[in-house]
Every structure is written in C-alpha cells, then in structure tokens.
Amino acid sequence: MRFGVLGPLLAHDGSTEKRIIAPKQQVILATLLLDANRVVSVERIAEHLCADAAPQGAHKTLHTYVMRLRPSLGDAADRLLTEA
C-alpha cells in the first residue's frame, strides 16, 4: 500500500488508486500515517480533528469516521486495527 500526501490524499493498493476526499477521513488517515506502524490514541486523533477540546462522545464519532475510511483503503483496510 502506498499513500500520496503531497497534493490530494491518495491511497494506492497496487492496482487501484483512490482519492480520500472526505475532510475528516483525510485528517484521520494523515494522523495515522504520521505514526505509521504504531498505536495512535483516540485522544491524539481527536486533537487533530477538533481545534478545541474533543467533544463528548468523541470515541464513538471517531469510530464512525474510521469505519467510513476503511472502504476507501480497499485491500489495505484490514491494516487499520483497533486496540484497547
């Protein structure tokens, strides 16, 4: 899996290139790419999504955004793991 981060945010799985266009998904993916192959806390992602303090229920909202991001990653979606 390759990602393009200069210009439009792109995910390329070897056969298909997909452009990540949803702003919240872009922020989440960029945050994860900055710490690739490491666990990224919900709080860290929420910091990037929200200019102010994370709102009540941020964990649930973040889960929804990640769920929507997975189909955009094609075959690499299984590399997004949720850990306690």
Side-chain angles (χ1 to χ4, degrees):
M1 187 79 188
R2 292 182 301 148
F3 297 95
V5 295
L6 297 176
L9 187 55
L10 302 172
H12 193 282
D13 66 3
S15 61
T16 307
E17 183 174 89
K18 295 186 178 191
R19 186 172 179 181
I20 311 301
I21 57 173
K24 302 289 186 183
Q25 291 177 16
Q26 290 177 342
V27 171
I28 292 170
L29 182 56
T31 302
L32 294 172
L33 289 172
L34 287 172
D35 286 316
N37 300 315
R38 290 185 227 138
V39 175
V40 179
S41 70
V42 171
E43 290 77 21
R44 179 162 166 87
I45 297 171
E47 284 175 13
H48 291 257
L49 281 174
C50 309
D52 301 325
Q56 196 78 333
H59 284 87
K60 190 172 189 175
T61 303
L62 182 60
H63 177 76
T64 302
Y65 291 146
V66 171
M67 181 182 67
R68 291 179 182 165
L69 174 61
R70 281 188 166 107
S72 301
L73 298 178
D75 293 340
D78 60 345
R79 296 184 70 189
L80 279 183
L81 304 174
T82 302
E83 294 188 11

